Amino acid sequence: NDRRFPGTPDIVLPKYHSVIFVQGCFWHGHTGCKKSTSPNTNTTFWDEKIARNKQRDEDVWRQLEAKGWFVIIVWECELRPPKRQATLEWLESQLRQILEKR
């Protein structure tokens, strides 16, 4: 977590001018993910909390992009064994594309 950047990205790759956020599916409201369902109690509180988290995430990403950084999001569920290899391959392809653009 690099506190020099808005949102304290989990990984900063200066060579690629990229930051990576590893997002928890529940806390950051991963749309369509089974780990992102609202609890059955205090639903209004949780819905508002997750909505604020999502808005804050988008604001942070826009700030970083405005400063010329590429923002990559990896979701918690994408790092579980069934999807991990495909996610790492996708991440590698994203970084290769970023290098090509630079």
Short mmCIF file of all heavy atoms in Angstrom, two decimals, residues 51-79:
data_model
loop_
_atom_site.label_atom_id
_atom_site.label_comp_id
_atom_site.label_asym_id
_atom_site.label_seq_id
_atom_site.Cartn_x
_atom_site.Cartn_y
_atom_site.Cartn_z
N ALA A 51 -22.00 1.83 -1.55
CA ALA A 51 -22.14 2.88 -2.57
C ALA A 51 -21.09 3.97 -2.38
O ALA A 51 -20.50 4.46 -3.35
CB ALA A 51 -23.55 3.47 -2.55
N ARG A 52 -20.85 4.37 -1.13
CA ARG A 52 -19.82 5.38 -0.85
C ARG A 52 -18.43 4.85 -1.22
O ARG A 52 -17.61 5.58 -1.80
CB ARG A 52 -19.83 5.79 0.63
CG ARG A 52 -20.96 6.70 1.02
CD ARG A 52 -20.79 7.31 2.41
NE ARG A 52 -20.47 6.35 3.45
CZ ARG A 52 -21.36 5.68 4.18
NH1 ARG A 52 -22.66 5.85 3.96
NH2 ARG A 52 -20.97 4.84 5.13
N ASN A 53 -18.17 3.59 -0.90
CA ASN A 53 -16.88 2.98 -1.27
C ASN A 53 -16.68 2.99 -2.77
O ASN A 53 -15.59 3.34 -3.26
CB ASN A 53 -16.78 1.55 -0.75
CG ASN A 53 -16.64 1.47 0.76
OD1 ASN A 53 -16.45 2.47 1.44
ND2 ASN A 53 -16.75 0.26 1.29
N LYS A 54 -17.72 2.62 -3.51
CA LYS A 54 -17.61 2.58 -4.97
C LYS A 54 -17.38 3.99 -5.54
O LYS A 54 -16.56 4.15 -6.45
CB LYS A 54 -18.88 1.96 -5.58
CG LYS A 54 -18.99 0.46 -5.31
CD LYS A 54 -20.32 -0.11 -5.75
CE LYS A 54 -20.33 -0.33 -7.23
NZ LYS A 54 -21.49 -1.12 -7.67
N GLN A 55 -18.07 4.98 -4.99
CA GLN A 55 -17.88 6.35 -5.46
C GLN A 55 -16.46 6.83 -5.16
O GLN A 55 -15.82 7.44 -6.00
CB GLN A 55 -18.91 7.30 -4.82
CG GLN A 55 -18.81 8.71 -5.33
CD GLN A 55 -19.07 8.79 -6.83
OE1 GLN A 55 -20.09 8.35 -7.32
NE2 GLN A 55 -18.12 9.34 -7.57
N ARG A 56 -15.98 6.53 -3.95
CA ARG A 56 -14.61 6.92 -3.58
C ARG A 56 -13.60 6.24 -4.52
O ARG A 56 -12.65 6.87 -4.99
CB ARG A 56 -14.32 6.55 -2.13
CG ARG A 56 -12.96 7.02 -1.65
CD ARG A 56 -12.58 6.48 -0.29
NE ARG A 56 -12.48 5.02 -0.35
CZ ARG A 56 -13.14 4.18 0.44
NH1 ARG A 56 -13.95 4.63 1.37
NH2 ARG A 56 -12.99 2.88 0.31
N ASP A 57 -13.81 4.95 -4.81
CA ASP A 57 -12.92 4.24 -5.72
C ASP A 57 -12.86 4.94 -7.08
O ASP A 57 -11.79 5.19 -7.62
CB ASP A 57 -13.39 2.79 -5.93
CG ASP A 57 -13.24 1.92 -4.69
OD1 ASP A 57 -12.47 2.30 -3.77
OD2 ASP A 57 -13.90 0.87 -4.65
N GLU A 58 -14.01 5.26 -7.62
CA GLU A 58 -14.06 5.92 -8.94
C GLU A 58 -13.37 7.29 -8.90
O GLU A 58 -12.65 7.64 -9.84
CB GLU A 58 -15.51 6.06 -9.39
CG GLU A 58 -16.13 4.73 -9.77
CD GLU A 58 -17.59 4.85 -10.14
OE1 GLU A 58 -18.04 5.97 -10.51
OE2 GLU A 58 -18.30 3.83 -10.07
N ASP A 59 -13.56 8.03 -7.82
CA ASP A 59 -12.90 9.34 -7.68
C ASP A 59 -11.38 9.16 -7.65
O ASP A 59 -10.65 9.90 -8.32
CB ASP A 59 -13.36 10.06 -6.41
CG ASP A 59 -14.82 10.48 -6.44
OD1 ASP A 59 -15.41 10.51 -7.55
OD2 ASP A 59 -15.37 10.77 -5.36
N VAL A 60 -10.90 8.18 -6.91
CA VAL A 60 -9.46 7.92 -6.82
C VAL A 60 -8.92 7.52 -8.18
O VAL A 60 -7.86 8.00 -8.62
CB VAL A 60 -9.19 6.83 -5.76
CG1 VAL A 60 -7.79 6.24 -5.91
CG2 VAL A 60 -9.38 7.39 -4.36
N TRP A 61 -9.62 6.64 -8.88
CA TRP A 61 -9.14 6.18 -10.19
C TRP A 61 -9.05 7.35 -11.16
O TRP A 61 -8.09 7.45 -11.92
CB TRP A 61 -10.04 5.09 -10.73
CG TRP A 61 -10.13 3.88 -9.84
CD1 TRP A 61 -9.22 3.48 -8.89
CD2 TRP A 61 -11.19 2.93 -9.78
NE1 TRP A 61 -9.65 2.35 -8.27
CE2 TRP A 61 -10.86 1.98 -8.78
CE3 TRP A 61 -12.39 2.80 -10.47
CZ2 TRP A 61 -11.69 0.91 -8.47
CZ3 TRP A 61 -13.20 1.72 -10.17
CH2 TRP A 61 -12.85 0.78 -9.18
N ARG A 62 -10.04 8.24 -11.13
CA ARG A 62 -10.00 9.41 -12.01
C ARG A 62 -8.81 10.32 -11.68
O ARG A 62 -8.16 10.84 -12.58
CB ARG A 62 -11.32 10.19 -11.93
CG ARG A 62 -12.41 9.61 -12.81
CD ARG A 62 -13.56 10.59 -12.96
NE ARG A 62 -14.37 10.69 -11.75
CZ ARG A 62 -15.37 9.89 -11.46
NH1 ARG A 62 -15.71 8.92 -12.28
NH2 ARG A 62 -16.06 10.05 -10.35
N GLN A 63 -8.55 10.50 -10.39
CA GLN A 63 -7.39 11.32 -9.98
C GLN A 63 -6.09 10.74 -10.53
O GLN A 63 -5.24 11.46 -11.05
CB GLN A 63 -7.29 11.39 -8.46
CG GLN A 63 -8.35 12.21 -7.78
CD GLN A 63 -8.23 12.09 -6.26
OE1 GLN A 63 -7.13 12.06 -5.71
NE2 GLN A 63 -9.36 12.02 -5.59
N LEU A 64 -5.93 9.43 -10.38
CA LEU A 64 -4.71 8.78 -10.85
C LEU A 64 -4.59 8.86 -12.37
O LEU A 64 -3.51 9.15 -12.90
CB LEU A 64 -4.66 7.33 -10.37
CG LEU A 64 -4.41 7.16 -8.87
CD1 LEU A 64 -4.81 5.78 -8.40
CD2 LEU A 64 -2.94 7.44 -8.56
N GLU A 65 -5.68 8.60 -13.06
CA GLU A 65 -5.66 8.67 -14.53
C GLU A 65 -5.36 10.09 -15.01
O GLU A 65 -4.66 10.28 -15.99
CB GLU A 65 -6.97 8.14 -15.10
CG GLU A 65 -7.09 6.63 -14.93
CD GLU A 65 -8.47 6.08 -15.25
OE1 GLU A 65 -9.45 6.87 -15.36
OE2 GLU A 65 -8.58 4.85 -15.37
N ALA A 66 -5.87 11.09 -14.28
CA ALA A 66 -5.61 12.48 -14.65
C ALA A 66 -4.12 12.82 -14.51
O ALA A 66 -3.62 13.70 -15.19
CB ALA A 66 -6.45 13.42 -13.78
N LYS A 67 -3.43 12.09 -13.64
CA LYS A 67 -1.99 12.28 -13.46
C LYS A 67 -1.17 11.38 -14.39
O LYS A 67 0.04 11.29 -14.26
CB LYS A 67 -1.61 12.00 -12.01
CG LYS A 67 -2.18 13.01 -11.04
CD LYS A 67 -1.80 12.69 -9.61
CE LYS A 67 -2.39 13.74 -8.68
NZ LYS A 67 -1.98 13.54 -7.30
N GLY A 68 -1.87 10.68 -15.30
CA GLY A 68 -1.17 9.87 -16.29
C GLY A 68 -0.89 8.43 -15.88
O GLY A 68 -0.15 7.72 -16.57
N TRP A 69 -1.48 7.98 -14.79
CA TRP A 69 -1.27 6.60 -14.34
C TRP A 69 -2.34 5.69 -14.92
O TRP A 69 -3.51 6.08 -15.04
CB TRP A 69 -1.30 6.52 -12.82
CG TRP A 69 -0.07 7.11 -12.21
CD1 TRP A 69 0.15 8.42 -11.92
CD2 TRP A 69 1.12 6.42 -11.88
NE1 TRP A 69 1.40 8.59 -11.42
CE2 TRP A 69 2.03 7.37 -11.37
CE3 TRP A 69 1.53 5.09 -11.95
CZ2 TRP A 69 3.31 7.03 -10.95
CZ3 TRP A 69 2.80 4.75 -11.52
CH2 TRP A 69 3.67 5.72 -11.03
N PHE A 70 -1.95 4.48 -15.27
CA PHE A 70 -2.89 3.46 -15.68
C PHE A 70 -3.37 2.76 -14.42
O PHE A 70 -2.56 2.42 -13.56
CB PHE A 70 -2.24 2.44 -16.62
CG PHE A 70 -1.86 3.01 -17.94
CD1 PHE A 70 -0.57 3.48 -18.16
CD2 PHE A 70 -2.77 3.08 -18.98
CE1 PHE A 70 -0.20 4.02 -19.38
CE2 PHE A 70 -2.42 3.62 -20.20
CZ PHE A 70 -1.13 4.09 -20.40
N VAL A 71 -4.67 2.55 -14.32
CA VAL A 71 -5.26 1.93 -13.14
C VAL A 71 -5.78 0.54 -13.54
O VAL A 71 -6.55 0.41 -14.49
CB VAL A 71 -6.41 2.79 -12.57
CG1 VAL A 71 -7.08 2.08 -11.40
CG2 VAL A 71 -5.89 4.16 -12.16
N ILE A 72 -5.33 -0.44 -12.81
CA ILE A 72 -5.75 -1.83 -13.05
C ILE A 72 -6.44 -2.33 -11.78
O ILE A 72 -5.91 -2.17 -10.68
CB ILE A 72 -4.55 -2.73 -13.40
CG1 ILE A 72 -3.87 -2.22 -14.66
CG2 ILE A 72 -4.99 -4.18 -13.54
CD1 ILE A 72 -2.56 -2.91 -14.99
N ILE A 73 -7.61 -2.92 -11.96
CA ILE A 73 -8.37 -3.45 -10.84
C ILE A 73 -8.37 -4.97 -10.94
O ILE A 73 -8.71 -5.53 -11.99
CB ILE A 73 -9.84 -2.96 -10.87
CG1 ILE A 73 -9.92 -1.45 -10.99
CG2 ILE A 73 -10.61 -3.50 -9.66
CD1 ILE A 73 -9.19 -0.68 -9.93
N VAL A 74 -8.01 -5.61 -9.84
CA VAL A 74 -8.10 -7.06 -9.74
C VAL A 74 -9.04 -7.36 -8.57
O VAL A 74 -8.85 -6.81 -7.48
CB VAL A 74 -6.72 -7.71 -9.49
CG1 VAL A 74 -6.85 -9.21 -9.30
CG2 VAL A 74 -5.76 -7.39 -10.62
N TRP A 75 -10.04 -8.18 -8.82
CA TRP A 75 -11.01 -8.49 -7.79
C TRP A 75 -10.58 -9.73 -7.00
O TRP A 75 -10.00 -10.65 -7.56
CB TRP A 75 -12.39 -8.72 -8.41
CG TRP A 75 -12.96 -7.45 -8.94
CD1 TRP A 75 -12.94 -7.02 -10.23
CD2 TRP A 75 -13.61 -6.42 -8.20
NE1 TRP A 75 -13.54 -5.79 -10.33
CE2 TRP A 75 -13.96 -5.40 -9.10
CE3 TRP A 75 -13.93 -6.26 -6.85
CZ2 TRP A 75 -14.60 -4.24 -8.69
CZ3 TRP A 75 -14.57 -5.11 -6.45
CH2 TRP A 75 -14.91 -4.11 -7.36
N GLU A 76 -10.92 -9.71 -5.73
CA GLU A 76 -10.62 -10.81 -4.81
C GLU A 76 -11.02 -12.16 -5.39
O GLU A 76 -10.23 -13.11 -5.36
CB GLU A 76 -11.35 -10.53 -3.50
CG GLU A 76 -11.46 -11.67 -2.55
CD GLU A 76 -12.45 -11.37 -1.42
OE1 GLU A 76 -13.29 -10.46 -1.55
OE2 GLU A 76 -12.35 -12.07 -0.41
N CYS A 77 -12.21 -12.25 -5.94
CA CYS A 77 -12.70 -13.53 -6.46
C CYS A 77 -11.89 -14.02 -7.66
O CYS A 77 -11.85 -15.21 -7.94
CB CYS A 77 -14.18 -13.43 -6.82
SG CYS A 77 -14.53 -12.32 -8.21
N GLU A 78 -11.22 -13.10 -8.36
CA GLU A 78 -10.44 -13.46 -9.53
C GLU A 78 -9.08 -14.05 -9.14
O GLU A 78 -8.35 -14.54 -10.01
CB GLU A 78 -10.23 -12.24 -10.42
CG GLU A 78 -11.52 -11.71 -11.01
CD GLU A 78 -11.35 -10.38 -11.71
OE1 GLU A 78 -10.39 -9.63 -11.40
OE2 GLU A 78 -12.19 -10.07 -12.56
N LEU A 79 -8.74 -13.99 -7.86
CA LEU A 79 -7.47 -14.54 -7.40
C LEU A 79 -7.62 -15.90 -6.73
O LEU A 79 -6.63 -16.50 -6.32
CB LEU A 79 -6.79 -13.55 -6.45
CG LEU A 79 -6.35 -12.25 -7.11
CD1 LEU A 79 -5.82 -11.28 -6.07
CD2 LEU A 79 -5.32 -12.50 -8.19
#
